[in-house]
Amino acid sequence: MIVETFSSQETYALGERLAKEAKPGQVFTLIGDLGVGKTVFTQGIASGLGIDEPICSPTFTIVQEYYSGRLPFYHFDVYRIGDVEEMDEVGFDDYVYGDGVTMIEWANLIQEILPEKYTQILIEKDLEKGFDYRKITIEEKQ
């Protein structure tokens, strides 16, 4: 599925809609350049899960946990991972194969350890279509 958004509010709302249908154990991967709106999309996912805490990218902590929604939410940012073995140190498998919803920003950097089944979300800009335009491709991987 391809969705075009024309504002950060629309990108947020798309994340919200996806989260309302999210099931325990669901894994979302998020790929896109810096500044493309990955955190805005993730904030929408959190809102759709009923989480009202501030959501920011866990660039230096690798993972943030949120338990105030209808499902636990685990937000990874693996941009600074030097080696996929570092993911074992944070208990990656416990999150991904648990009962919460997992969001992994920069998931392409740890492709080899992703679960067999996940939802890949690719966010792209096209400045010819406007500064706030985003092309969001959502694809089920198995």
Side-chain angles (χ1 to χ4, degrees), residues 3 29-33 36 120-124 135-139:
V3 178
T29 65
L30 196 48
I31 301 168
D33 293 335
V36 81
Q120 178 178 283
I121 300 158
L122 171 64
I123 304 179
E124 301 171 283
K135 176 182 170 187
I136 302 172
T137 305
I138 302 168
E139 183 179 359

Side-chain angles (χ1 to χ4, degrees), residues 62-78:
I62 301 175
V63 64
Q64 292 285 350
E65 303 173 8
Y66 303 92
Y67 294 98
S68 62
R70 69 176 179 85
L71 293 169
F73 180 49
Y74 311 120
H75 179 201
F76 283 85
D77 182 331
V78 299

Side-chain angles (χ1 to χ4, degrees), residues 12-69:
Y12 181 99
L14 177 59
E16 243 181 352
R17 284 194 307 273
L18 281 178
K20 288 181 179 175
E21 298 175 14
K23 308 261 187 289
Q26 182 141 17
V27 176
F28 294 100
T29 65
L30 196 48
I31 301 168
D33 293 335
L34 286 169
V36 81
K38 293 184 298 297
T39 300
V40 168
F41 187 87
T42 300
Q43 289 168 338
I45 291 277
S47 176
L49 289 171
I51 296 166
D52 56 7
E53 304 172 52
I55 305 294
C56 58
S57 197
T59 303
F60 296 100
T61 59
I62 301 175
V63 64
Q64 292 285 350
E65 303 173 8
Y66 303 92
Y67 294 98
S68 62

